[in-house]
């Protein structure tokens, strides 16, 4: 049996070694920053530079992925006509959802958030980012190739996208009308891609309101199994 050829490598560059105290300080500061992130539904139409969106997507594109296949594509929409078309299609799906698709327990869970089928933010916010995942890949020979952990990978990338937009100073909203096939059609994406989420990004309106919610405390979401006393 022939020995498997090892892939090419190069030295790790750009990794900064930090002392424990600095690690803790940086982690705490970033956690504090992200803890101020809130899902916003009331947006200003104040313009946001395209470069902000580009750099946020660049950060998302650095996410880890199964077999490094990077099975994602991001479509940034700032065109008012396209945003209007997306809103119309999304609200049609949402009206059907609230009227007869959603089970009662799901509607009960949504009730404290005050969500409805009306989605004006899809037009008001300066940017929408449609995130797609590849169900499979199309090779250079035109043949179908399998993707690995595509949804998991795109979920991680989307989280990094949201974190970067928040760090830059923008509010976001994850919108997932069901089904979302209209995004594929409106945005002209290939059939081997599927919509994952529609992300709204922009400045919150001056009078923006958010639901009064609480987040689960750290002891409720963390179990530590370690022999370290600190």
């Amino acid at each position: 049996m022939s020995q498997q050829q090892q892939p090419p490598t190069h030295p790790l560059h750009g990794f900064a070694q930090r002392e424990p105290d600095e690690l803790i300080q940086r982690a705490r500061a970033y956690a504090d920053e992200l803890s101020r992130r809130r899902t916003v539904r009331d947006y200003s139409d104040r313009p946001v530079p395209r470069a902000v969106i580009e750099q946020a997507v660049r950060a998302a594109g650095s996410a880890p992925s199964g077999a490094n296949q990077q099975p994602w594509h991001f479509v940034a929409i700032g065109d008012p006509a396209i945003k209007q078309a997306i809103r119309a299609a999304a609200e049609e799906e949402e009206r059907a959802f609230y009227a007869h698709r959603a089970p009662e327990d799901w509607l009960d869970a949504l009730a404290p958030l005050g969500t409805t089928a009306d989605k004006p933010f899809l037009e008001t916010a300066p940017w929408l980012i449609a995130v797609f995942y590849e169900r499979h890949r199309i090779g250079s020979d035109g043949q179908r190739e399998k993707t690995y952990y595509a949804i998991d990978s795109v979920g991680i990338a989307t989280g990094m996208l949201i974190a970067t937009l928040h760090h830059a100073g923008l509010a976001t909203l994850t919108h997932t009308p069901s089904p979302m096939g209209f995004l594929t059609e409106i945005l002209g994406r290939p059939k081997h891609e599927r919509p994952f989420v529609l992300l709204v990004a922009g400045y919150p309106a001056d009078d923006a309101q958010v639901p009064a919610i609480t987040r689960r405390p750290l002891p409720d979401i963390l179990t530590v199994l370690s022999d370290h006393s600190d």
Side-chain angles (χ1 to χ4, degrees):
M1 181 182 296
S2 61
Q3 186 175 9
Q4 185 175 8
Q5 183 178 3
Q6 293 298 311
T9 63
H10 59 74
L12 174 65
H13 295 296
F15 187 88
Q17 295 284 351
R18 307 184 194 280
E19 295 302 315
D21 286 349
E22 185 180 4
L23 292 177
I24 295 170
Q25 186 277 326
R26 288 171 63 89
R28 180 179 291 117
Y30 194 58
D32 288 344
E33 179 179 358
L34 287 185
S35 71
R36 293 187 288 271
R37 187 209 62 79
R38 290 299 306 271
T39 294
V40 170
R41 292 179 173 83
D42 302 317
Y43 282 86
S44 165
D45 61 1
R46 178 182 171 189
V48 169
R50 170 178 167 173
V52 177
I53 305 302
E54 290 175 340
Q55 294 305 309
V57 171
R58 186 168 76 93
S62 70
S65 61
N68 191 38
Q69 291 181 324
Q70 305 169 53
W72 43 63
H73 191 86
F74 304 85
V75 181
I77 305 113
D79 184 297
I82 300 176
K83 290 194 295 178
Q84 183 181 49
I86 289 174
R87 177 185 178 182
E91 287 185 339
E92 182 178 354
E93 297 295 354
E94 290 289 273
R95 284 191 291 270
F97 171 82
Y98 281 95
H100 55 80
R101 285 183 190 157
E104 283 300 320
D105 56 349
W106 182 218
L107 293 176
D108 291 342
L110 289 173
L113 303 179
T115 60
T116 70
D118 297 324
K119 309 298 179 184
F121 47 76
L122 294 177
E123 285 191 85
T124 307
W127 288 101
L128 306 178
I129 305 173
V131 184
F132 292 83
Y133 70 93
E134 294 180 335
R135 293 188 305 155
H136 56 267
R137 303 167 67 86
I138 304 299
S140 57
D141 58 358
Q143 296 300 306
R144 174 173 171 164
E145 299 176 356
K146 187 174 181 179
T147 53
Y148 299 94
Y149 299 104
I151 294 178
D152 311 70
S153 302
V154 174
I156 295 170
T158 300
M160 292 176 63
L161 176 60
I162 293 169
T164 303
L165 290 168
H166 174 78
H167 181 68
L170 297 179
T172 57
L173 165 71
T174 52
H175 183 46
T176 53
S178 179
M180 288 192 287
F182 62 87
L183 287 174
T184 301
E185 181 178 351
I186 292 174
L187 301 177
R189 298 309 305 162
K191 292 182 178 180
H192 68 277
E193 292 182 359
R194 285 290 182 268
F196 179 76
V197 69
L198 182 61
L199 191 67
V200 183
Y203 294 102
D206 291 339
D207 58 350
Q209 300 285 312
V210 295
I213 62 171
T214 58
R215 291 190 171 108
R216 296 169 62 187
L218 185 62
D220 282 5
I221 64 172
L222 173 65
T223 298
V224 178
L225 306 176
S226 172
D227 59 0
H228 296 289
S229 59
D230 57 353

